[in-house]
Amino acid sequence: MSRFSRRRLGAVAGGTAVAAGLGAGTASAGGQRGKGPRPTEVRFNMPGGNNPSIANGVAVGGAVAVYTSSGLGPAAANPSAPAGSPEQYVDLSLFPGGTLPAGVTITEAQAWNTLKRIVDNLTAMGARPQDVITMKCYLKRTPGASDADYAGWNRAYRHFFANVDLGTGKPIPMPIGTTAPVRPSVVNPARPARATTEVAGLAVPGWLIEVEVQATY
């Protein structure tokens, strides 16, 4: 396992833009056993390799300011769909050409909508997607499915998080549905500590996904 502070993670990713995108950090990589983070340090426990999707965990110093969002789901963006249906929460404007790309699932489309709302929520509080340190996602399965659509959620997630190669600092093309990989919607090196859980229901009829995040300043 590897440990990175925000400063070290930026250096591993390479390039000034990537380092700046991860925000300020004060400690070097790693840390002695039993030693917690310094007061202003954000320390990630990262898996090996240059392209993990999430961190194994994150430690935050006591002097670091943290913002916690409420759980957010997709906004109603399709007035032609029946009220309370999953299709009501698909926002076609988020996709190239204003149409749903081939192979995009309803959960994947709702995830794009939800993650766009997360970005807007962070922006309103002076934070950025690059500042996110933890994430919780709740998925509801579509009618008739045997499981929640984890694959669709993960494809959407990678267009907003964990899409910069930590070795080269370059964006990693990501697929949308079954289409060929394209440049991520939000270029972002952050790998938050994340949990994804299937739930029986969500508060808003038609929602298949709800996400909450924590970000540091």
Side-chain angles (χ1 to χ4, degrees):
M1 300 298 179
S2 301
R3 291 177 179 170
F4 298 96
S5 69
R6 282 196 183 275
R7 174 174 292 176
R8 177 59 180 163
L9 185 56
V12 170
T16 302
V18 174
L22 284 165
T26 60
S28 60
Q32 297 178 7
R33 183 178 297 276
K35 292 284 187 178
R38 296 176 184 176
T40 59
E41 181 185 7
V42 177
R43 185 192 300 167
F44 291 89
N45 181 4
M46 299 293 291
N50 291 336
N51 188 26
S53 61
I54 62 175
N56 289 329
V58 60
V60 181
V64 176
V66 175
Y67 171 67
T68 303
S69 79
S70 290
L72 294 175
N78 184 3
S80 64
S85 68
E87 290 75 16
Q88 184 184 16
Y89 298 96
V90 173
D91 187 350
L92 295 177
S93 71
L94 299 178
F95 299 102
T99 59
L100 209 60
V104 173
T105 65
I106 189 71
T107 297
E108 183 176 358
Q110 284 201 11
W112 273 71
N113 188 334
T114 301
L115 290 169
K116 174 61 167 59
R117 293 192 71 199
I118 289 288
V119 172
D120 292 343
N121 182 285
L122 292 167
T123 301
M125 290 300 295
R128 307 162 301 166
Q130 294 93 327
D131 302 320
V132 172
I133 58 169
T134 68
M135 177 182 293
K136 294 180 181 179
C137 176
Y138 307 94
L139 296 179
K140 179 183 175 182
R141 68 181 65 175
T142 54
S146 58
D147 292 293
D149 183 12
Y150 291 92
W153 153 240
N154 282 320
R155 285 194 300 270
Y157 166 82
R158 284 285 205 155
H159 271 274
F160 292 80
F161 293 89
N163 54 46
V164 172
D165 187 292
L166 297 182
T168 66
K170 295 180 179 180
I172 304 168
M174 296 292 172
I176 306 175
T178 57
T179 63
V182 296
R183 183 179 175 86
S185 177
V186 176
V187 175
N188 182 6
R191 271 83 172 167
R194 194 190 80 178
T196 302
T197 305
E198 181 178 334
V199 295
L202 292 168
V204 178
W207 276 13
L208 300 177
I209 183 169
E210 186 172 347
V211 176
E212 61 181 270
V213 299
Q214 282 191 322
T216 58
Y217 289 97

